[in-house]
Structure formats: C-alpha cells, structure tokens
Amino acid sequence: MTTTCLPRLNARATPASSLMHGRTLTETGIVHLGLGNFHRAHQAVYTATALDHADGPWGILGVASRSAAVADALRAQDFRYSVVEIAPGGARVVVPAVHTGALVAAHHPEAVVDALAAPATRIVSLTVTEHGYTFSPRTGHLELDHPGVRADLRGNAPPRTVIGQIVRGLQRRVRRHPTPVTVLSCDNLAGNGHQTARLVREFVAALPSGEGDELAAWLDEAVAFPNTMVDRIVPATTDAERAAVADRLGLRDDVPVPAEPFTMWVLEDRFPAGRPAWEHAGALFTGDVEPYELLKLRLLNGTHSLIAYLGALDGRATIPDAIARPFVADAARRVLHDEYLPSLTVPEDIDLDAYVAQLFERWANSALGHRTQQVGSDGSVKLRQRVPEPALRQLRAGRVPHHLALTVAAYLCCMAPPSGFDAGPHAAAMSDPARGELREAARRTPSVRDFVATVLDGGLLGDRLAEHPVFTDRVAELIGLLTRHGTAAAVTDAARAADAEAPPAT
Ligand code: CS2
C-alpha cells in the first residue's frame, strides 16, 4: 500500500484505541540522548504505560545525535509515532505519545546543554550504543585521545560527545540551580550505571585544574547513576512497518518502530528526583541489577553476535534465517550453555530453561526480520562487553573456549576478510569503527596467526586475552577453517574440539 496519500499521524488523528495513555503532557522531566528505535520501543513504551497508571511530569525530550530524519518527522507528527509489535502470528500497533520535543545535538548543541541543565529535567537517560560512550576498547577508560573528547575538554565550543554533553549540562546545572538528577544508561554495557558514572568522573577529572572541583563534589551528593538491564529486540524500520500502520490505523507514519512483543527492564531504584511509575509497565526494581545484566549480555547478546557473524558468512540476511540453519543453532546452543552460562549466576526469579527456550523463539521470529548486519555492526565495541570475561574464565580453568574463539574468528572474517576470501554482502554491510584498522592490520601482517595476535595485542578485546596464546592460535585456526572450508565446517570443528575437552567448569 502506498502511504503518501494518507493523512499523517498526529495528535488529532491518533485513534484512541492505539493511544497508550490519555494524558496531556505539559512538563518535560526526561531528556533522552539517543532518539533511535530502541528508546522509542522500550523506555518510551514503559513511560506511556506508567503514565496510564499515574500522572507525573514525565514528558520526554528526545535528542538525536546527528541525523535530523527522526526529529523532523516527529515534529511534523506532534511527536507521535507508532510501535509495531511483531509476533509470529501478527502485528499490533500502539502509539506511546510521551515525547514533548525533539532536538538534534549536532545542529543545536547549546540547546542540549540547556535542556540537561533545566530545573524541570529530573532524569537524563541514554541509549547511545556502546560506541557512544567514547571509552577506549583496550582499557575501558575514557579515551582522552578521542578528538571529540579532547575538543569537549577544551570547552571552546558546545560539547559533541555524549559524556561531554552530560558533564557540560551538569556543570551548568550546578551553577544555576543544583537540584538532584538521575543519569540513566539504557545501553548494553556491563554495569552501565557504574561505567557511565566512571566516564563522567574521568571527564571531570581531566578538566583544566580547578574547573571540575565543584562539580565533582556535587556529583557525589546529587547525581545518581543506577544500573539497568534493558531487553527488547528492535530492528531498523522498513516499509513493512509503514504499511502496517497504514493498514491498521489508516494513517501515514514516517517513523514507526518495529519491535518484538517481548520486553524486559530491570533497574536499581535510585532516582533522587523521582521517576515514572515504570513498575506498572512490568519494570523490575532491584538492589542488584548485575546478575540480570550479565545473564542478558552474555546469553542473549553474546550468543546473538555468534549467530550474526556465522549467519552473515553463510549468506543469511536475517537472524531468523541464520538460526534456522541447524549448524548455527547448534553453535549458539553450545556457546550459550558451555561457555557463557558457567560465567554467571542466574538470578533466583529466572527460570533458566524457560529463559533459554524463549531466547531461541525470539531469535526465530521471522516476521521481525532482524538483520545479521545490524547485530554484527560495531563488534569492536560490543564484543568487549560480551566475550573476554567468560573466555578468560575458561582459559584460566585450562579449557579453550572454542565457541567464543569462533565468535571472534567469524567477526574478524566479516570485518577484514583474508585476501581471496569473500565474506559476502551481509558482512560487507556491517559498520564498525575499527573496520579500517582491522583491514590495515590484515594487509600488513604476513599470516593469519600474526594478524590475530596483532589485533588481540592491540586491545580489541581488552588487555588480558592476548596473554593466552592458545586463544590466539584457536581464533587463527578457525579463521582458516571458515575461509577455506566454510562456516559449517568451522562449526563442526569447534564442536568436535569442545567435546574432546573436559566437561565445562561450573
Ligand atoms: C543485539 C542487541 O545488536 C546487538 O548486538 O544483540 O541489540 C539486542 O537485540 C538487544 O540488546 C535485545 O535487547
């Protein structure tokens, strides 16, 4: 169906049956950095449900980093958009209607700092992807050599990096009216609240002498950085969602968001300036988010990476197509059960068998069309959160984590295919800040073994895995198998080698 002739979704046109709450939002209590699909299908939906139960000053100002496409479309639609929940049996369309404004940081950086400093702002939330935190992949510390970080530290112009924006916003806030605020990371980082707090403090400490002292003291008193675990598979938008909205609502929505029906949010309840009643939307508040984060980061995200890279190398465009290949599903099961699971403590309220069965169902949701390219992108920053700890745990116990090595090998084949090997279109379409560097390393190093050693020594997965030559050897071998004998053969070899080892450490 062509949607251009339909009336546009806006405040007047939204059908009551799809509207998630009936309130008029007059106050903007949340400034959200990262106006991408994930935020609009996750936190925004939780906030809409919370508002349906309890009123509050919880309008959201969404800040896109560079592209004006979503912000402009939202403005033209009175900040309305639809979430198309796609289950294998059909779709449901809802309109959260919680945004009260939209900004593009690259165009109006000063307005972003003002919004962060505004007295009405009680929560600054973030979905800026792993890449957006400007930490060094090797050390995990703020990358002081990053040109954006350097410029933001000099402070002659409005800040461009996320950490710079937060610090400059908080600095203005402390000068004008030092009211408490919560900085809420909703990205897939282990200990995302702790990591954000640390990066903010590192930025403050790197400010010219004296400039950050007042802020540093106030951060301890009045700013909370709760940890959170966020979960919902949210692909990129396609015309299929625009057509679904046209079909269900009879309206044109230029920026609908596809999402799976499943959603989960676990948070620490540290909000010194209050928060929406997200518990009404099913959010779980707990004193210790870490076990949930690790469960999700490793079982879901870690396994997801392996499925994406193997799938792309096998010519599969989507995660459901990839997991439908029995050898990919087998590798996914093995990495999940034998290499990720022993590295974590499953929270008491999680039924592990049901959780894992549900993961496989979620990955197999073919109607959702989640692309291998999307999950495979930014591996250089994502894998660091997923692979090293579980791999080190196995290596220290004298075992080779063959499927984690396979994850790294498949990633490297996608990013920097050895000469003469074609990784295929889905791998070629993956974006990654380290792609250029990895290609250059592959070009310069005479052998695959040297290439792997160079990238691991260079800190691709932090600074400790490189201390285990057996891991480097295995990654290099698996690259050889992937490129010479194909994906299925490499998976078979990993399984055979894993079977030949001692039973997994528990
Ligand atoms: C995925 C995640 O892109 C990725 O790396 O693993 O985006 C995943 O879909 C979400 O974390 C699900 O909550």
Side-chain angles (χ1 to χ4, degrees):
M1 179 188 302
T2 164
T3 57
T4 41
C5 53
L6 294 172
R8 194 93 182 246
L9 171 66
N10 60 28
R12 266 175 299 109
T14 313
S17 57
S18 57
L19 194 58
M20 294 192 70
H21 68 90
R23 312 217 180 242
T24 305
L25 302 181
T26 50
E27 283 177 89
T28 301
I30 302 176
V31 175
H32 182 80
L33 304 180
L35 192 50
N37 278 8
F38 184 76
H39 157 71
R40 289 189 295 132
H42 190 266
Q43 182 190 347
V45 170
Y46 279 87
T47 306
T49 310
L51 283 167
D52 195 31
H53 284 80
D55 206 355
W58 301 119
I60 303 178
L61 169 69
V63 181
S65 73
R66 275 178 305 274
S67 163
V70 171
D72 286 351
L74 287 181
R75 229 172 272 120
Q77 298 181 175
D78 299 333
F79 306 107
R80 299 279 163 101
Y81 64 91
S82 7
V83 174
V84 183
E85 278 186 14
I86 304 172
R92 180 175 96 101
V93 177
V94 292
V95 178
V98 287
H99 292 88
T100 46
L103 279 175
V104 180
H107 301 171
H108 298 106
E110 199 48 45
V112 174
V113 178
D114 267 339
L116 297 174
T121 301
R122 295 151 186 262
I123 296 174
V124 173
S125 51
L126 294 84
T127 49
V128 294
T129 78
E130 297 84 340
H131 187 34
Y133 288 78
T134 50
F135 55 71
S136 144
R138 175 183 268 280
T139 63
H141 291 291
L142 186 67
E143 188 146 40
L144 294 171
D145 286 340
H146 185 289
V149 173
R150 276 213 307 265
D152 288 357
L153 281 167
R154 278 195 303 275
N156 313 329
R160 301 280 169 165
T161 66
V162 169
I163 300 296
Q165 285 160 348
I166 295 174
V167 173
R168 295 302 181 185
L170 295 179
Q171 214 169 16
R172 190 165 296 177
R173 192 178 184 97
V174 78
R175 281 193 203 119
R176 292 190 181 163
H177 57 90
T179 49
V181 64
T182 302
V183 177
L184 184 67
S185 166
C186 299
D187 282 296
N188 288 325
L189 304 174
N192 53 8
H194 290 143
Q195 291 215 45
T196 309
R198 186 175 44 70
L199 293 165
V200 161
R201 291 202 169 90
E202 287 174 6
F203 187 106
V204 171
L207 285 168
S209 152
E211 203 189 315
D213 297 353
E214 185 190 8
L215 180 58
W218 181 70
L219 280 178
D220 294 338
E221 266 167 45
V223 186
F225 295 86
N227 290 303
T228 66
M229 180 276 254
V230 292
D231 192 3
R232 188 169 207 185
I233 294 178
V234 182
T237 303
T238 67
D239 283 340
E241 290 77 49
R242 296 189 184 93
V245 178
D247 182 45
R248 306 298 148 91
L249 308 190
L251 296 170
R252 166 182 156 202
D253 178 357
D254 282 359
V255 284
V257 181
E260 64 172 339
F262 179 93
T263 184
M264 189 171 178
W265 200 8
V266 186
L267 308 91
E268 285 171 0
D269 203 355
R270 294 192 284 121
F271 291 81
R275 60 165 174 81
W278 286 317
E279 62 278 17
H280 288 298
L284 177 70
F285 287 92
T286 166
D288 188 8
V289 170
E290 195 187 356
Y292 295 91
E293 278 182 333
L294 295 184
L295 181 83
K296 192 263 172 172
L297 260 177
R298 296 184 184 166
L299 300 196
L300 190 162
N301 297 119
T303 309
H304 223 182
S305 294
L306 180 60
I307 299 167
Y309 296 124
L310 292 179
L313 292 174
D314 190 50
R316 308 292 131 186
T318 68
I319 297 291
D321 284 353
I323 199 80
R325 305 282 283 161
F327 69 87
V328 175
D330 187 47
R333 249 182 224 105
R334 282 174 177 268
V335 80
L336 187 156
H337 284 288
D338 300 346
E339 296 178 27
Y340 281 121
L341 197 51
S343 74
L344 46 91
T345 308
V346 179
E348 272 176 18
D349 60 342
I350 297 282
D351 172 343
L352 183 67
D353 291 343
Y355 183 83
V356 172
Q358 194 177 31
L359 284 182
F360 278 85
E361 278 165 26
R362 293 170 64 195
W363 290 325
N365 181 352
S366 56
L368 198 60
H370 198 200
R371 299 187 73 78
T372 46
Q373 172 211 334
Q374 183 176 351
V375 178
S377 285
D378 283 349
S380 59
V381 267
K382 288 176 177 173
L383 292 183
R384 187 181 196 286
Q385 304 295 323
R386 306 177 184 185
V387 170
E389 292 305 321
L392 285 164
R393 189 180 184 284
Q394 300 272 336
L395 287 162
R396 286 182 192 132
R399 295 172 50 83
V400 179
H402 294 281
H403 294 86
L404 294 170
L406 182 61
T407 307
V408 179
Y411 163 69
L412 291 173
C413 286
C414 288
M415 286 305 111
S419 98
F421 174 71
D422 179 4
H426 309 300
M430 289 171 185
S431 61
D432 193 309
R435 195 186 257 276
E437 213 177 294
L438 292 172
R439 284 221 174 125
E440 183 50 26
R443 203 186 52 75
R444 270 188 289 110
T445 37
S447 72
V448 172
R449 172 71 176 66
D450 289 345
F451 164 61
V452 178
T454 305
V455 299
L456 292 181
D457 284 347
L460 174 72
L461 294 170
D463 54 6
R464 282 172 301 155
L465 264 182
E467 292 162 14
H468 296 268
V470 65
F471 189 76
T472 307
D473 291 343
R474 191 59 178 135
V475 172
E477 264 170 33
L478 287 165
I479 291 181
L481 287 166
L482 283 165
T483 54
R484 283 198 305 276
H485 300 283
T487 321
V491 168
T492 305
D493 193 80
R496 182 203 45 74
D499 286 344
E501 297 225 1
T506 49

